[in-house]
Short mmCIF file of all heavy atoms in Angstrom, two decimals:
data_model
loop_
_atom_site.label_atom_id
_atom_site.label_comp_id
_atom_site.label_asym_id
_atom_site.label_seq_id
_atom_site.Cartn_x
_atom_site.Cartn_y
_atom_site.Cartn_z
N VAL P 396 -26.38 35.00 -33.33
CA VAL P 396 -26.68 33.71 -33.97
C VAL P 396 -25.70 33.35 -35.05
O VAL P 396 -25.42 32.17 -35.26
CB VAL P 396 -28.15 33.73 -34.50
CG1 VAL P 396 -28.34 34.70 -35.62
CG2 VAL P 396 -28.59 32.32 -34.93
N TYR P 397 -25.13 34.32 -35.77
CA TYR P 397 -24.21 34.02 -36.88
C TYR P 397 -22.77 33.85 -36.43
O TYR P 397 -21.94 33.40 -37.22
CB TYR P 397 -24.28 35.13 -37.93
CG TYR P 397 -25.56 35.17 -38.75
CD1 TYR P 397 -25.73 36.16 -39.68
CD2 TYR P 397 -26.56 34.21 -38.60
CE1 TYR P 397 -26.90 36.23 -40.47
CE2 TYR P 397 -27.70 34.26 -39.34
CZ TYR P 397 -27.89 35.27 -40.28
OH TYR P 397 -29.03 35.32 -41.02
N GLY P 398 -22.47 34.26 -35.21
CA GLY P 398 -21.10 34.12 -34.72
C GLY P 398 -20.74 32.69 -34.35
O GLY P 398 -21.55 31.76 -34.57
N PRO P 399 -19.55 32.47 -33.82
CA PRO P 399 -19.10 31.10 -33.48
C PRO P 399 -20.07 30.41 -32.53
O PRO P 399 -20.60 31.01 -31.61
CB PRO P 399 -17.74 31.32 -32.85
CG PRO P 399 -17.25 32.61 -33.43
CD PRO P 399 -18.49 33.47 -33.58
N THR P 400 -20.30 29.12 -32.73
CA THR P 400 -21.20 28.34 -31.89
C THR P 400 -20.56 28.13 -30.53
O THR P 400 -19.40 27.72 -30.39
CB THR P 400 -21.42 26.96 -32.56
OG1 THR P 400 -21.98 27.18 -33.85
CG2 THR P 400 -22.40 26.13 -31.70
N ALA P 401 -21.33 28.44 -29.47
CA ALA P 401 -20.83 28.36 -28.12
C ALA P 401 -20.63 26.90 -27.70
O ALA P 401 -21.44 26.03 -28.04
CB ALA P 401 -21.79 29.04 -27.16
N LEU P 402 -19.58 26.65 -26.93
CA LEU P 402 -19.32 25.34 -26.36
C LEU P 402 -19.62 25.27 -24.89
O LEU P 402 -19.64 24.18 -24.29
CB LEU P 402 -17.86 24.94 -26.61
CG LEU P 402 -17.52 24.49 -28.04
CD1 LEU P 402 -16.02 24.39 -28.24
CD2 LEU P 402 -18.20 23.18 -28.35
N ALA P 403 -19.83 26.40 -24.25
CA ALA P 403 -20.12 26.46 -22.83
C ALA P 403 -21.12 27.61 -22.62
O ALA P 403 -21.16 28.56 -23.42
CB ALA P 403 -18.86 26.71 -22.01
N PRO P 404 -21.93 27.55 -21.57
CA PRO P 404 -22.95 28.58 -21.35
C PRO P 404 -22.38 30.00 -21.30
O PRO P 404 -23.00 30.94 -21.79
CB PRO P 404 -23.56 28.18 -20.02
CG PRO P 404 -23.39 26.69 -19.96
CD PRO P 404 -22.08 26.44 -20.61
N ASP P 405 -21.17 30.18 -20.73
CA ASP P 405 -20.63 31.53 -20.65
C ASP P 405 -20.12 32.06 -21.98
O ASP P 405 -19.73 33.25 -22.07
CB ASP P 405 -19.53 31.59 -19.57
CG ASP P 405 -18.33 30.68 -19.84
OD1 ASP P 405 -18.37 30.00 -20.91
OD2 ASP P 405 -17.42 30.65 -19.03
N GLU P 406 -20.08 31.22 -23.00
CA GLU P 406 -19.71 31.67 -24.33
C GLU P 406 -20.91 32.13 -25.15
O GLU P 406 -20.76 32.69 -26.25
CB GLU P 406 -19.00 30.54 -25.08
CG GLU P 406 -17.67 30.13 -24.50
CD GLU P 406 -17.03 28.97 -25.25
OE1 GLU P 406 -17.61 28.55 -26.28
OE2 GLU P 406 -15.99 28.48 -24.82
N GLU P 407 -22.11 31.89 -24.68
CA GLU P 407 -23.32 32.28 -25.39
C GLU P 407 -23.42 33.79 -25.43
O GLU P 407 -23.42 34.44 -24.37
CB GLU P 407 -24.54 31.67 -24.74
CG GLU P 407 -25.84 31.87 -25.51
CD GLU P 407 -25.88 31.09 -26.81
OE1 GLU P 407 -25.24 30.04 -26.94
OE2 GLU P 407 -26.60 31.56 -27.72
N PRO P 408 -23.44 34.43 -26.62
CA PRO P 408 -23.46 35.90 -26.67
C PRO P 408 -24.78 36.48 -26.20
O PRO P 408 -25.83 35.81 -26.18
CB PRO P 408 -23.22 36.17 -28.16
CG PRO P 408 -23.74 34.92 -28.85
CD PRO P 408 -23.44 33.79 -27.93
N ALA P 409 -24.74 37.73 -25.84
CA ALA P 409 -25.94 38.46 -25.42
C ALA P 409 -26.87 38.64 -26.61
O ALA P 409 -26.45 38.68 -27.75
CB ALA P 409 -25.58 39.80 -24.82
N MET P 410 -28.16 38.72 -26.29
CA MET P 410 -29.14 39.00 -27.33
C MET P 410 -29.07 40.47 -27.74
O MET P 410 -28.30 41.25 -27.19
CB MET P 410 -30.53 38.62 -26.83
CG MET P 410 -30.74 37.15 -26.61
SD MET P 410 -31.04 36.22 -28.14
CE MET P 410 -32.74 36.71 -28.49
N PHE P 411 -29.94 40.86 -28.64
CA PHE P 411 -29.95 42.21 -29.20
C PHE P 411 -30.78 43.15 -28.34
O PHE P 411 -31.48 42.74 -27.42
CB PHE P 411 -30.53 42.16 -30.61
CG PHE P 411 -31.74 41.25 -30.73
CD1 PHE P 411 -32.98 41.65 -30.27
CD2 PHE P 411 -31.62 40.00 -31.30
CE1 PHE P 411 -34.08 40.83 -30.36
CE2 PHE P 411 -32.72 39.16 -31.39
CZ PHE P 411 -33.96 39.57 -30.94
N THR P 412 -30.69 44.45 -28.66
CA THR P 412 -31.45 45.45 -27.96
C THR P 412 -32.83 45.59 -28.62
O THR P 412 -32.93 45.73 -29.85
CB THR P 412 -30.74 46.82 -28.02
OG1 THR P 412 -29.45 46.68 -27.43
CG2 THR P 412 -31.53 47.90 -27.29
N PRO P 413 -33.89 45.51 -27.88
CA PRO P 413 -35.24 45.53 -28.47
C PRO P 413 -35.59 46.86 -29.12
O PRO P 413 -35.14 47.93 -28.71
CB PRO P 413 -36.17 45.24 -27.27
CG PRO P 413 -35.37 45.62 -26.08
CD PRO P 413 -33.96 45.37 -26.39
N ILE P 414 -36.42 46.76 -30.18
CA ILE P 414 -36.97 47.92 -30.84
C ILE P 414 -38.49 47.77 -30.87
O ILE P 414 -39.03 47.01 -31.67
CB ILE P 414 -36.46 48.07 -32.30
CG1 ILE P 414 -34.95 48.15 -32.34
CG2 ILE P 414 -37.09 49.30 -32.97
CD1 ILE P 414 -34.39 48.20 -33.75
N PRO P 415 -39.22 48.42 -29.96
CA PRO P 415 -40.68 48.26 -29.91
C PRO P 415 -41.34 48.91 -31.15
O PRO P 415 -40.85 49.92 -31.66
CB PRO P 415 -41.08 48.97 -28.62
CG PRO P 415 -39.96 49.92 -28.36
CD PRO P 415 -38.70 49.30 -28.89
N LEU P 416 -42.42 48.34 -31.58
CA LEU P 416 -43.15 48.91 -32.72
C LEU P 416 -43.59 50.33 -32.45
O LEU P 416 -43.65 51.16 -33.37
CB LEU P 416 -44.36 48.05 -33.02
CG LEU P 416 -44.12 46.69 -33.64
CD1 LEU P 416 -45.43 45.93 -33.80
CD2 LEU P 416 -43.38 46.79 -34.96
N SER P 417 -43.88 50.65 -31.19
CA SER P 417 -44.39 51.98 -30.87
C SER P 417 -43.36 53.06 -31.11
O SER P 417 -43.67 54.26 -31.11
CB SER P 417 -44.83 52.02 -29.41
OG SER P 417 -43.75 51.67 -28.55
N SER P 418 -42.08 52.69 -31.34
CA SER P 418 -41.04 53.68 -31.58
C SER P 418 -41.11 54.21 -33.01
O SER P 418 -40.45 55.21 -33.33
CB SER P 418 -39.66 53.11 -31.32
OG SER P 418 -39.33 52.08 -32.26
N ALA P 419 -41.86 53.56 -33.88
CA ALA P 419 -41.94 53.98 -35.28
C ALA P 419 -42.65 55.33 -35.42
O ALA P 419 -43.66 55.58 -34.74
CB ALA P 419 -42.64 52.95 -36.12
N ARG P 420 -42.15 56.17 -36.28
CA ARG P 420 -42.78 57.44 -36.55
C ARG P 420 -43.27 57.43 -37.97
O ARG P 420 -42.49 57.34 -38.93
CB ARG P 420 -41.77 58.60 -36.35
CG ARG P 420 -41.33 58.73 -34.89
CD ARG P 420 -42.51 59.16 -33.98
NE ARG P 420 -42.11 59.22 -32.58
CZ ARG P 420 -42.36 58.25 -31.70
NH1 ARG P 420 -42.99 57.18 -32.10
NH2 ARG P 420 -41.96 58.38 -30.45
N LEU P 421 -44.59 57.46 -38.12
CA LEU P 421 -45.18 57.32 -39.46
C LEU P 421 -45.48 58.69 -40.06
O LEU P 421 -46.15 59.52 -39.42
CB LEU P 421 -46.48 56.49 -39.38
CG LEU P 421 -46.35 55.09 -38.76
CD1 LEU P 421 -47.69 54.40 -38.77
CD2 LEU P 421 -45.32 54.28 -39.51
N GLY P 422 -45.04 58.91 -41.29
CA GLY P 422 -45.34 60.14 -42.01
C GLY P 422 -46.44 59.88 -43.03
O GLY P 422 -46.98 58.78 -43.18
N GLU P 423 -46.80 60.92 -43.78
CA GLU P 423 -47.83 60.78 -44.79
C GLU P 423 -47.48 59.76 -45.85
O GLU P 423 -48.35 59.04 -46.34
CB GLU P 423 -48.14 62.14 -45.42
CG GLU P 423 -48.80 63.14 -44.49
CD GLU P 423 -49.18 64.43 -45.22
OE1 GLU P 423 -49.10 64.44 -46.47
OE2 GLU P 423 -49.63 65.37 -44.55
N THR P 424 -46.23 59.68 -46.18
CA THR P 424 -45.80 58.71 -47.22
C THR P 424 -45.98 57.28 -46.75
O THR P 424 -46.15 56.36 -47.54
CB THR P 424 -44.36 58.93 -47.63
OG1 THR P 424 -43.53 58.81 -46.47
CG2 THR P 424 -44.15 60.28 -48.25
N ASP P 425 -45.96 57.08 -45.41
CA ASP P 425 -46.17 55.75 -44.87
C ASP P 425 -47.63 55.35 -44.88
O ASP P 425 -47.99 54.21 -45.14
CB ASP P 425 -45.65 55.64 -43.43
CG ASP P 425 -44.14 55.82 -43.36
OD1 ASP P 425 -43.44 55.08 -44.08
OD2 ASP P 425 -43.70 56.71 -42.61
N THR P 426 -48.50 56.31 -44.55
CA THR P 426 -49.90 55.98 -44.32
C THR P 426 -50.80 56.21 -45.51
O THR P 426 -51.87 55.62 -45.58
CB THR P 426 -50.42 56.82 -43.14
OG1 THR P 426 -50.26 58.22 -43.43
CG2 THR P 426 -49.68 56.48 -41.86
N GLU P 427 -50.42 57.08 -46.42
CA GLU P 427 -51.31 57.45 -47.52
C GLU P 427 -51.63 56.23 -48.39
O GLU P 427 -50.80 55.74 -49.13
CB GLU P 427 -50.68 58.56 -48.36
CG GLU P 427 -51.64 59.09 -49.43
CD GLU P 427 -51.02 60.21 -50.20
OE1 GLU P 427 -49.81 60.44 -50.07
OE2 GLU P 427 -51.75 60.89 -50.96
N GLY P 428 -52.82 55.78 -48.33
CA GLY P 428 -53.28 54.68 -49.16
C GLY P 428 -52.78 53.32 -48.76
O GLY P 428 -53.19 52.32 -49.32
N ALA P 429 -51.87 53.25 -47.77
CA ALA P 429 -51.25 51.97 -47.43
C ALA P 429 -52.23 51.04 -46.81
O ALA P 429 -52.24 49.83 -47.08
CB ALA P 429 -50.03 52.20 -46.53
N LEU P 430 -53.09 51.54 -45.89
CA LEU P 430 -54.01 50.65 -45.23
C LEU P 430 -54.98 50.03 -46.20
O LEU P 430 -55.45 48.91 -46.01
CB LEU P 430 -54.77 51.42 -44.13
CG LEU P 430 -53.93 51.86 -42.94
CD1 LEU P 430 -54.80 52.63 -41.95
CD2 LEU P 430 -53.30 50.70 -42.24
N ALA P 431 -55.30 50.74 -47.29
CA ALA P 431 -56.25 50.18 -48.25
C ALA P 431 -55.68 49.01 -49.00
O ALA P 431 -56.43 48.25 -49.61
CB ALA P 431 -56.63 51.30 -49.23
N GLN P 432 -54.36 48.82 -48.95
CA GLN P 432 -53.73 47.72 -49.68
C GLN P 432 -53.86 46.39 -48.96
O GLN P 432 -53.65 45.33 -49.56
CB GLN P 432 -52.25 48.00 -49.94
CG GLN P 432 -52.03 49.18 -50.89
CD GLN P 432 -50.56 49.48 -50.98
OE1 GLN P 432 -49.80 49.29 -50.05
NE2 GLN P 432 -50.14 49.95 -52.15
N THR P 433 -54.12 46.41 -47.69
CA THR P 433 -54.17 45.15 -46.93
C THR P 433 -55.39 44.37 -47.37
O THR P 433 -56.43 44.90 -47.73
CB THR P 433 -54.24 45.41 -45.42
OG1 THR P 433 -55.39 46.16 -45.12
CG2 THR P 433 -53.03 46.18 -44.93
N THR P 434 -55.27 43.06 -47.34
CA THR P 434 -56.33 42.19 -47.82
C THR P 434 -57.52 42.12 -46.89
O THR P 434 -58.61 41.74 -47.26
CB THR P 434 -55.81 40.78 -48.04
OG1 THR P 434 -55.25 40.29 -46.83
CG2 THR P 434 -54.73 40.78 -49.11
N ASP P 435 -57.29 42.46 -45.59
CA ASP P 435 -58.37 42.39 -44.64
C ASP P 435 -58.01 43.24 -43.43
O ASP P 435 -57.40 42.76 -42.48
CB ASP P 435 -58.60 40.93 -44.20
CG ASP P 435 -59.68 40.80 -43.14
OD1 ASP P 435 -60.48 41.74 -43.02
OD2 ASP P 435 -59.72 39.76 -42.47
N THR P 436 -58.39 44.50 -43.44
CA THR P 436 -58.02 45.35 -42.34
C THR P 436 -59.04 45.26 -41.20
O THR P 436 -58.74 45.59 -40.06
CB THR P 436 -57.99 46.82 -42.78
OG1 THR P 436 -59.23 47.20 -43.37
CG2 THR P 436 -56.89 47.04 -43.80
N GLU P 437 -60.25 44.76 -41.49
CA GLU P 437 -61.27 44.71 -40.47
C GLU P 437 -60.87 43.80 -39.32
O GLU P 437 -60.71 42.60 -39.50
CB GLU P 437 -62.62 44.23 -41.07
CG GLU P 437 -63.76 44.26 -40.04
CD GLU P 437 -65.04 43.83 -40.66
OE1 GLU P 437 -65.07 43.62 -41.89
OE2 GLU P 437 -66.01 43.69 -39.93
N GLY P 438 -60.66 44.37 -38.19
CA GLY P 438 -60.30 43.59 -37.01
C GLY P 438 -58.86 43.17 -36.97
O GLY P 438 -58.47 42.39 -36.09
N ALA P 439 -58.03 43.63 -37.92
CA ALA P 439 -56.65 43.15 -37.97
C ALA P 439 -55.87 43.54 -36.70
O ALA P 439 -55.12 42.74 -36.17
CB ALA P 439 -55.95 43.71 -39.20
N LEU P 440 -56.07 44.78 -36.25
CA LEU P 440 -55.32 45.18 -35.08
C LEU P 440 -55.76 44.43 -33.84
O LEU P 440 -54.99 44.25 -32.88
CB LEU P 440 -55.46 46.71 -34.84
CG LEU P 440 -54.93 47.60 -35.97
CD1 LEU P 440 -55.12 49.06 -35.64
CD2 LEU P 440 -53.47 47.29 -36.23
N ALA P 441 -57.01 43.98 -33.83
CA ALA P 441 -57.52 43.25 -32.66
C ALA P 441 -56.86 41.90 -32.48
O ALA P 441 -56.93 41.29 -31.43
CB ALA P 441 -59.03 43.09 -32.76
N GLN P 442 -56.20 41.40 -33.55
CA GLN P 442 -55.54 40.10 -33.46
C GLN P 442 -54.29 40.17 -32.56
O GLN P 442 -53.76 39.15 -32.18
CB GLN P 442 -55.14 39.62 -34.86
CG GLN P 442 -56.32 39.30 -35.73
CD GLN P 442 -55.88 38.89 -37.10
OE1 GLN P 442 -54.71 38.99 -37.45
NE2 GLN P 442 -56.82 38.44 -37.91
N THR P 443 -53.82 41.37 -32.26
CA THR P 443 -52.62 41.52 -31.48
C THR P 443 -52.98 41.97 -30.07
O THR P 443 -53.82 42.86 -29.92
CB THR P 443 -51.68 42.55 -32.13
OG1 THR P 443 -51.44 42.13 -33.45
CG2 THR P 443 -50.36 42.62 -31.39
N THR P 444 -52.39 41.39 -29.09
CA THR P 444 -52.74 41.72 -27.72
C THR P 444 -52.09 42.99 -27.23
O THR P 444 -52.44 43.50 -26.17
CB THR P 444 -52.33 40.57 -26.79
OG1 THR P 444 -50.92 40.34 -26.95
CG2 THR P 444 -53.08 39.31 -27.14
N ASP P 445 -51.13 43.54 -27.96
CA ASP P 445 -50.39 44.72 -27.50
C ASP P 445 -49.90 45.52 -28.69
O ASP P 445 -48.84 45.27 -29.20
CB ASP P 445 -49.22 44.29 -26.61
CG ASP P 445 -48.43 45.50 -26.11
OD1 ASP P 445 -48.91 46.64 -26.29
OD2 ASP P 445 -47.36 45.28 -25.55
N THR P 446 -50.66 46.51 -29.15
CA THR P 446 -50.26 47.27 -30.32
C THR P 446 -49.07 48.19 -30.01
O THR P 446 -48.42 48.62 -30.97
CB THR P 446 -51.41 48.13 -30.84
OG1 THR P 446 -52.04 48.79 -29.73
CG2 THR P 446 -52.40 47.31 -31.58
N GLU P 447 -48.78 48.45 -28.78
CA GLU P 447 -47.63 49.29 -28.47
C GLU P 447 -46.31 48.54 -28.55
O GLU P 447 -45.26 49.17 -28.49
CB GLU P 447 -47.79 49.89 -27.05
CG GLU P 447 -48.83 51.00 -26.99
CD GLU P 447 -48.38 52.20 -27.79
OE1 GLU P 447 -47.27 52.65 -27.61
OE2 GLU P 447 -49.18 52.64 -28.63
N GLY P 448 -46.34 47.26 -28.68
CA GLY P 448 -45.12 46.48 -28.74
C GLY P 448 -45.45 45.02 -28.68
O GLY P 448 -45.17 44.34 -27.73
N ALA P 449 -46.11 44.55 -29.74
CA ALA P 449 -46.74 43.24 -29.73
C ALA P 449 -45.77 42.12 -29.37
O ALA P 449 -46.14 41.18 -28.69
CB ALA P 449 -47.34 42.93 -31.12
N LEU P 450 -44.52 42.26 -29.77
CA LEU P 450 -43.61 41.15 -29.54
C LEU P 450 -43.05 41.13 -28.14
O LEU P 450 -42.34 40.19 -27.78
CB LEU P 450 -42.45 41.25 -30.56
CG LEU P 450 -42.92 41.21 -32.02
CD1 LEU P 450 -41.70 41.29 -32.94
CD2 LEU P 450 -43.74 40.00 -32.30
N ALA P 451 -43.35 42.11 -27.33
CA ALA P 451 -42.80 42.17 -25.98
C ALA P 451 -43.27 41.02 -25.12
O ALA P 451 -42.69 40.73 -24.09
CB ALA P 451 -43.17 43.50 -25.32
N GLN P 452 -44.38 40.35 -25.50
CA GLN P 452 -44.91 39.29 -24.70
C GLN P 452 -44.30 37.95 -25.02
O GLN P 452 -44.61 36.95 -24.39
CB GLN P 452 -46.44 39.21 -24.84
CG GLN P 452 -47.12 40.46 -24.33
CD GLN P 452 -48.64 40.34 -24.37
OE1 GLN P 452 -49.16 39.43 -24.94
NE2 GLN P 452 -49.30 41.28 -23.75
N THR P 453 -43.48 37.88 -26.03
CA THR P 453 -42.88 36.59 -26.39
C THR P 453 -41.80 36.21 -25.39
O THR P 453 -41.16 37.07 -24.78
CB THR P 453 -42.26 36.62 -27.78
OG1 THR P 453 -41.28 37.62 -27.81
CG2 THR P 453 -43.32 36.90 -28.83
N ASP P 454 -41.58 34.91 -25.19
CA ASP P 454 -40.63 34.44 -24.21
C ASP P 454 -39.23 34.39 -24.77
O ASP P 454 -38.64 33.34 -25.00
CB ASP P 454 -41.07 33.05 -23.73
CG ASP P 454 -40.15 32.54 -22.63
OD1 ASP P 454 -39.52 33.36 -21.95
OD2 ASP P 454 -40.06 31.31 -22.47
N VAL P 455 -38.65 35.59 -25.02
CA VAL P 455 -37.27 35.66 -25.48
C VAL P 455 -36.78 37.04 -25.14
O VAL P 455 -37.55 38.00 -25.14
CB VAL P 455 -37.17 35.41 -26.99
CG1 VAL P 455 -37.91 36.41 -27.79
CG2 VAL P 455 -35.73 35.34 -27.42
N GLU P 456 -35.53 37.18 -24.82
CA GLU P 456 -34.98 38.46 -24.45
C GLU P 456 -35.12 39.45 -25.60
O GLU P 456 -34.46 39.33 -26.62
CB GLU P 456 -33.51 38.33 -24.07
CG GLU P 456 -33.27 37.42 -22.88
CD GLU P 456 -31.79 37.23 -22.66
OE1 GLU P 456 -31.00 38.13 -23.05
OE2 GLU P 456 -31.41 36.22 -22.09
N GLY P 457 -36.01 40.44 -25.44
CA GLY P 457 -36.12 41.51 -26.43
C GLY P 457 -36.59 41.01 -27.77
O GLY P 457 -36.12 41.52 -28.79
N ALA P 458 -37.53 40.08 -27.83
CA ALA P 458 -37.88 39.52 -29.11
C ALA P 458 -38.61 40.52 -30.00
O ALA P 458 -38.70 40.32 -31.22
CB ALA P 458 -38.79 38.32 -28.91
N GLU P 459 -39.10 41.62 -29.42
CA GLU P 459 -39.73 42.61 -30.28
C GLU P 459 -38.72 43.25 -31.24
O GLU P 459 -39.13 43.86 -32.24
CB GLU P 459 -40.41 43.70 -29.46
CG GLU P 459 -39.49 44.54 -28.59
CD GLU P 459 -39.37 43.99 -27.21
OE1 GLU P 459 -39.30 42.74 -27.08
OE2 GLU P 459 -39.36 44.76 -26.23
#
Side-chain angles (χ1 to χ4, degrees):
V396 66
Y397 288 177
T400 302
L402 284 169
D405 61 1
E406 295 178 3
E407 186 69 27
M410 293 282 285
F411 42 77
T412 301
I414 302 176
L416 290 177
S417 58
S418 67
R420 295 294 176 259
L421 303 181
E423 290 186 9
T424 57
D425 294 306
T426 57
E427 186 178 11
L430 292 179
Q432 293 175 329
T433 61
T434 57
D435 177 19
T436 56
E437 184 178 355
L440 297 181
Q442 293 177 352
T443 305
T444 57
D445 180 10
T446 45
E447 285 295 308
L450 302 182
Q452 296 185 350
T453 59
D454 183 24
V455 62
E456 297 175 26
E459 63 268 40

